[in-house]
Amino acid sequence: QVQLVESGGGLVQAGDSLRLSCAASGRTFSIGGMGWFRQAPGKEREFVAAISWDGRNIHYADSVKGRFTISRDNAKKTLYLQMNSLKPEDTAVYYCAADVEDRNWFASTIKAEYEYWGQGIQVTVSS
């Protein structure tokens, strides 16, 4: 199995930046693509960003494109999400996810395709 633990969330003002981290442990050699999703109260969990194992295939939701950057360090077993120019509508619980996709070049934008999930971390952006 794989365990994922997010960190780096918090309360910031609009226009500020945060960097989320997701540390993986367990059978990390089985991890393929990884992604970030977010969920606001009463809303459906939505896709934010995804990255393939080799880092060459990256996808972003239109709502965060140009502001957020996803990256990973496989040697450190860590996924990152750099969030700049934060807006109040970015407020949500952010979840990291990992799939067991064995295609090194593939990254999914569909939450149902991810096998493992972190516990989530709160990001709150005040206006």
Side-chain angles (χ1 to χ4, degrees), residues 33-83:
M34 300 187 74
W36 291 96
F37 293 77
R38 66 187 183 186
Q39 187 169 19
K43 305 297 183 181
E44 184 178 355
R45 190 172 302 185
E46 65 177 8
F47 168 75
V48 176
I51 184 170
S52 59
W53 184 90
D54 62 12
R56 297 180 179 180
N57 194 354
I58 294 175
H59 305 281
Y60 295 101
D62 288 343
S63 59
V64 307
K65 194 172 298 181
R67 299 187 298 120
F68 291 10
T69 302
I70 189 171
S71 62
R72 65 192 293 170
D73 187 332
N74 290 339
K76 296 182 178 179
K77 303 177 181 180
T78 303
L79 175 74
Y80 304 98
L81 185 68
Q82 178 66 45
M83 304 184 293

Side-chain angles (χ1 to χ4, degrees), residues 11-119:
L11 172 63
V12 297
Q13 297 184 46
D16 285 351
S17 297
L18 281 174
R19 189 176 79 155
L20 303 183
S21 298
C22 175
S25 60
R27 297 176 64 88
T28 57
F29 54 84
S30 68
I31 294 175
M34 300 187 74
W36 291 96
F37 293 77
R38 66 187 183 186
Q39 187 169 19
K43 305 297 183 181
E44 184 178 355
R45 190 172 302 185
E46 65 177 8
F47 168 75
V48 176
I51 184 170
S52 59
W53 184 90
D54 62 12
R56 297 180 179 180
N57 194 354
I58 294 175
H59 305 281
Y60 295 101
D62 288 343
S63 59
V64 307
K65 194 172 298 181
R67 299 187 298 120
F68 291 10
T69 302
I70 189 171
S71 62
R72 65 192 293 170
D73 187 332
N74 290 339
K76 296 182 178 179
K77 303 177 181 180
T78 303
L79 175 74
Y80 304 98
L81 185 68
Q82 178 66 45
M83 304 184 293
N84 297 331
S85 302
L86 282 162
K87 304 174 180 179
E89 48 263 48
D90 295 317
T91 296
V93 175
Y94 283 70
Y95 298 87
C96 66
D99 68 24
V100 293
E101 169 66 54
D102 63 359
R103 294 172 291 178
N104 291 344
W105 45 267
F106 184 77
S108 178
T109 64
I110 308 299
K111 58 180 178 288
E113 296 183 355
Y114 286 88
E115 179 78 12
Y116 301 105
W117 294 83
Q119 79 286 353

